[in-house]
Amino acid sequence: LVDRPGSVQADIRAGQIAVTRTHPDYFPLVVGNSILGGGSSSRMFLSIREEKGFAYDAHTELQPNKDASLFAAVTQVRNEVIGEAMETLLGELEGMGQAHVKGQELTDVKNYLNGTFVIRMETQNGLANQLSMTRTMGLPESFLETYVTRIRSVEPDQIQSAAKKYFTPGDATIVVVGDSQKLAKPLEKFGAVIVEKAKP
């Protein structure tokens, strides 16, 4: 808990180390990440914002680098709902590993991911960026050519398996930035709270 006295909201990040683009779990993780928090139709957005009104935004981030990657669930909520919001966020993470993704939800996300990928490749600049990424990340030349096929081939059991490894609340590091006087007590139910002062 990073103490920011007087803050009227809490910034939450819950995440853990994930896998690189060359790992077999990468494409299931990409699809699962999009289902969980990849946009305005994602589970986190619909639950935390649309259903419960806790936040303006709720999303997940998957940042793959050459040697490791970071997965994080992110939102900002009012101080008075920190406990309920944390329960909802962690519940959505855990839920991804408890059941298979339904057919239409999976189809829609695959279409979205492949559509945005193709659009990114349409311009010379976009293609150059993708080629640069494959070279700097040490990826095989076939990575871009097989991207769409590999997204389409992801199965529900692969997503569930990846979620059990990388969307696990018990393994997540949770960082909350806000007023410790208002947040520390309700956060204690989620684990030991270590308070740090925000650096100017």
Side-chain angles (χ1 to χ4, degrees):
L1 175 57
V2 181
D3 186 23
R4 189 169 61 190
S7 178
V8 297
Q9 72 173 15
D11 292 2
I12 304 169
R13 284 183 177 263
Q16 63 193 88
I17 299 298
V19 297
T20 65
R21 291 178 175 89
T22 58
H23 194 281
D25 286 336
Y26 176 69
F27 283 95
L29 194 58
V30 168
V31 177
N33 175 70
S34 188
I35 290 169
L36 177 62
S40 58
S41 60
S42 68
R43 293 182 179 186
M44 272 187 51
F45 189 92
L46 293 175
S47 177
I48 293 175
R49 172 180 163 149
E50 297 299 310
E51 180 184 338
K52 300 191 175 179
F54 289 156
Y56 177 76
D57 177 52
H59 67 275
T60 55
E61 300 173 359
L62 181 62
Q63 302 170 357
N65 297 311
K66 186 172 183 179
D67 298 318
S69 69
L70 172 67
F71 164 78
V74 181
T75 191
Q76 303 83 34
V77 302
R78 306 183 310 279
N79 290 338
E80 56 269 25
V81 299
I82 183 66
E84 296 172 88
M86 282 289 297
E87 286 181 353
T88 303
L89 185 150
L90 298 178
E92 291 295 344
L93 290 177
E94 191 168 27
M96 287 293 296
Q98 292 179 336
H100 282 175
V101 177
K102 301 296 183 181
Q104 192 59 50
E105 185 178 31
L106 182 56
T107 299
D108 289 345
V109 164
K110 286 181 178 181
N111 289 339
Y112 169 77
L113 288 170
N114 283 337
T116 55
F117 175 78
V118 171
I119 289 172
R120 287 200 304 270
M121 301 282 281
E122 284 184 342
T123 66
Q124 290 180 329
N125 182 60
L127 178 58
N129 285 338
Q130 291 297 314
L131 292 172
S132 175
M133 179 273 296
T134 60
R135 180 63 59 88
T136 57
M137 295 295 171
L139 299 172
E141 293 182 0
S142 62
F143 182 83
L144 297 179
E145 295 175 2
T146 60
Y147 183 94
V148 169
T149 301
R150 295 179 75 179
I151 288 291
R152 290 203 185 282
S153 68
V154 171
E155 297 292 337
D157 60 328
Q158 294 175 304
I159 298 171
Q160 186 177 6
S161 176
K164 287 180 179 179
K165 299 175 188 175
Y166 312 109
F167 298 165
T168 49
D171 294 328
T173 296
I174 302 171
V175 177
V176 179
V177 181
D179 191 332
S180 65
Q181 294 294 316
K182 297 178 180 178
L183 301 176
K185 191 65 178 176
L187 287 175
E188 287 177 356
K189 67 181 295 184
F190 304 102
V193 177
I194 301 171
V195 180
E196 301 281 354
K197 292 295 182 182
K199 294 180 173 58

